[in-house]
Amino acid sequence: MADPILEVKNLHVHFETHDGTAEVINGIDFAIDRGETAALVGETGCGKSVTVKSIMGLLPSATIPEGEIRYKGEDVLSLSDAERHSRRGKEMSMIMQDPMTSLNPVLTVGEQMMDVLKWQGRPRLSLSKLVRDALSTGAKAEHRKRAIEMLGEVEISAPERVFESYPVELSGGMRQRVLIAIALLSEPDLLIADEPGTALDVTTEAKVLDLLDELVEERDTSVLYITHDLGVAREVSDRINVMYAGEIVEQAPTADLFANPQHPYTRGLLESIPTLSTGIGDGIEGHLPDYTNPPAGCRFADRCPHAEAACHEAYPYPRQTGADHATACHLFDGLPARERHESLAAERVDIGTAPWLSAGGDTHSGDAPGDISADGGTDQ
Ligand SMILES: Nc1ncnc2c1ncn2[C@@H]1O[C@H](COP(=O)(O)OP(=O)(O)OP(=O)(O)O)[C@@H](O)[C@H]1O
Ligand code: NI
C-alpha cells in the first residue's frame, strides 16, 4: 500500500444481545489506496455492513468498535461527533444498501440534494452562517444548478422533473441513480457503496454499476465496494477482500485472487459462481457460526473440506502468501501478516502445502487454480 486513503487495523465490533455478546467483527485489517477500488465480498450476515457502519460512524451508540480506522492518516474512531459529521459530508460518502429506505419519502429529490449542498464542508455548529446562507437566493440558485447538473451526470434524462419529484414517483433504477448523484454531490475522496443495485433487476443493476464505475474513474475517487457477488467484485474492483464470519480470510489484487485463490472459502465461492441462485455461499454446505459463541480456531473450519484438528484449535492469523496476497488459513505457510514487517522471509510462500495443489488424493486435486477462474468466472 503505497498511499492508503483508508486503513482498517485490527478492528473488532461486538454487540450486546439477549443471547450474550456477539463477537461479529473479529480483528480485520485492510487498506484502500488513493484512486483504488477495493471490494469487500462475503455472504449475507458475514459483517460487511457492520464494517461499513464502523467506518462511517453509524453503529448504535452503545457499540464502540475497537482497533484503528485511519482516514487520510487520521484515526476516525477518536473523532468527536461534530468532527465526524463534517468529515462524513465532505470527504467520505456512502451509497446505502437499500435505495427505498435511504431516501426520505417526504422530501423531493431536489430538497434532499439541496440539503447535502447546504451542509457541505461546514462544521455543524456554524448555525448563524447557515441561516444567512439559507437566505441568500444567489447560493440557492447555484446549488439548484449544481444539483440538476449532477442528475444529468448520472444520466437521468429529465433532471429538472426528477429534481421536483418525490422518491415514490421514481423507478428503482432511477432512485439508485439519485442516490449515486447525492453521494457524489459532496465530491467525496472515498465513496462507500453498500450493494448498490442489488435491489434492481440484473440489466438495470449492470447499467448502474457501469455508470458508477465511469463516474468514479473520471473523478479518481477511491471506492470501497460492498457486495455478496464475486462476479460483481471482479468487474468493478482492483483489489478484493474476502470476508467470512467477521474476518477477512483472503485479500489480493483482483486478477491474482481469481488466478490463484488460496483460502478454501474463496475456492468454494469461485466454484459456486456458475450455480449462484439466491446468494454467495449457498454453494458451500453449512452455515455461519453463532457470533455469540464463535469457534476458538478458524471460523470456517466446520464448513471446510480440508480442516485438520489444528484448524479447530488455533486462530489462523492472516499470512503473507504471495507478493501482495494474504490468506488466513493454517494450510498455508508463511508468517502471520502482523509480523510481516519484521521479516522478509514472510514473503516466501510454500503453496505446495495446500491440499488441493498436491497431486492426487483430494476432490479438488485436478483443478489448477487457473481453471477455476476460467470455469467459475463471470464471463458466462
Ligand atoms: N446492532 C446490532 N446488534 C446486534 N447484532 C447486529 C447488529 N448489527 C448487525 N448485527 C449482526 O452482525 C452480523 C453481520 O451483519 P451485517 O449486516 O454486517 O451483514 P452483511 O454482511 O452486511 O449481510 P448482508 O449481505 O445481508 O447485508 C449479523 O449477524 C447481524 O445480525
Ligand atoms: Ni449488508
Side-chain angles (χ1 to χ4, degrees), residues 1-9 30-38 55 68-76 87 90-93 187-192 219-224:
M1 283 292 140
D3 185 17
I5 188 162
L6 182 80
E7 294 163 279
V8 173
K9 291 184 187 162
F30 69 97
I32 305 171
D33 258 344
R34 280 176 204 264
E36 186 182 55
T37 299
I55 297 169
E68 251 175 61
I69 297 177
R70 294 196 170 274
Y71 180 68
K72 296 181 176 174
E74 183 177 48
D75 188 0
V76 296
R87 304 289 194 294
K90 189 149 179 354
E91 303 210 318
M92 276 196 229
S93 200
E187 288 161 36
D189 288 331
L190 175 66
L191 179 69
I192 301 182
R219 290 165 168 74
D220 210 23
T221 312
S222 312
V223 185
L224 176 59

Side-chain angles (χ1 to χ4, degrees), residues 15-17 22 24-25 42-51 53 59-60 63 97 194-195 226-228 243 288 291:
F15 296 104
E16 293 309 325
T17 73
V24 175
I25 303 297
E43 71 196 86
T44 186
C46 74
K48 305 181 297 294
S49 294
V50 170
T51 304
K53 286 177 189 164
L59 288 174
T63 307
Q97 193 157 4
D194 194 350
E195 309 247 15
I226 309 302
T227 175
H228 61 271
M243 191 166 204
L288 286 169
Y291 288 116

